[in-house]
Amino acid sequence: GAVVSQHPSWVICKSGTSVKIECRSLDFQATTMFWYRQFPKQSLMLMATSNEGSKATYEQGVEKDKFLINHASLTLSTLTVTSAHPEDSSFYICSARGQPNTGELFFGEGSRLTVL
Amino acid sequence: GEDVEQSLFLSVREGDSSVINCTYTDSSSTYLYWYKQEPGAGLQLLTYIFSNMDMKQDQRLTVLLNKKDKHLSLRIADTQTGDSAIYFCAEIPRLGSSNTGKLIFGQGTTLQVKP
């Protein structure tokens, strides 16, 4: 099956710094990628939809200035958590939808962010 | 609105069958999914079913879809300790005539398999 890779898998940073998480589709082109956030023992919450070459669409309640998303190529989307605070600590997961749209999404391994 | 509900916990003995249930609200959903998440890991797609199907079988996995009741179930035959994980059902709701493309997840069911 198709592979989606996230990097880094785990990052610890100080409060106030910015952290960038990458999501790559390794063997297919992804016109659309999705970013989710998962709190411990909870379900995934969709944060935003990232479309190649255009601005991301954010879900209600998600701060676009806080969580910057860039989808500059068909194989890479990045999520930057700006001025991170301890409450931003979470597990961030991306998924990608390939061409043509089969309805199937492929998920990355997730990136665990810990803000001290 | 869009909502997906699951029971939170299921415990079975090794070798038994496990049945994980899910209900959803969007009757126009075209795809319904089952994902598995092991501790500290991302999501692994187990199987999915199109809304025009009633059943799909894939080795030890059987998915049943009751569109009338908006009920989806995942049956794992001969459950093994390696099946212990959190199982999420998810749907892609439609917006008008198009898929929204975003997945709506249930809360996840923790499956505990005892030896």
Side-chain angles (χ1 to χ4, degrees), chain B:
Chain B
E2 307 147 352
D3 198 14
V4 179
E5 297 281 340
Q6 294 179 243
S7 52
L8 297 181
F9 184 79
L10 174 67
S11 180
V12 301
R13 291 198 179 280
E14 191 173 20
D16 288 348
S17 293
S18 307
V19 180
I20 303 171
N21 295 301
C22 172
T23 58
Y24 59 98
T25 56
D26 191 333
S27 58
S28 63
S29 292
T30 53
Y31 298 94
L32 294 142
Y33 300 82
W34 283 104
Y35 286 90
K36 176 183 180 182
Q37 184 178 36
E38 296 181 356
L43 292 176
Q44 173 194 357
L45 176 66
L46 286 179
T47 186
Y48 64 94
I49 189 169
F50 293 101
S51 58
N52 61 357
M53 298 170 64
D54 297 322
M55 185 183 85
K56 180 178 180 181
Q57 188 153 2
D58 184 2
Q59 299 182 337
R60 292 191 297 124
L61 305 178
T62 303
V63 178
L64 294 178
L65 175 60
N66 182 327
K67 290 185 287 293
K68 175 175 172 290
D69 295 337
K70 297 177 191 172
H71 182 264
L72 182 73
S73 69
L74 173 70
R75 179 177 181 270
I76 305 173
D78 188 25
T79 313
Q80 303 297 308
T81 54
D83 295 325
S84 293
I86 302 175
Y87 291 80
F88 291 94
C89 68
E91 63 168 351
I92 290 185
R94 289 178 73 89
L95 180 66
S97 60
S98 302
N99 285 334
T100 61
K102 64 180 186 181
L103 275 178
I104 305 298
F105 284 88
Q107 311 94 315
T109 300
T110 298
L111 175 63
Q112 179 191 70
V113 183
K114 297 180 180 179

Side-chain angles (χ1 to χ4, degrees), chain A residues 14 25 28 31 34 44 52 57 64 78 97 106 114:
Chain A
K14 290 184 178 180
S25 56
F28 68 103
T31 55
F34 302 91
L44 282 75
E52 187 268 335
T57 304
K64 58 182 67 177
T78 61
R97 188 172 60 167
F106 304 97
T114 301

Side-chain angles (χ1 to χ4, degrees), chain A residues 2 13 18 23 29 35 53 60 64 66 88 93 99 110 112:
Chain A
C13 69
S18 294
C23 178
Q29 293 182 328
W35 286 97
Q60 192 172 9
K64 58 182 67 177
K66 174 75 169 175
D88 298 324
I93 301 177
Q99 297 178 334
R112 184 167 300 284

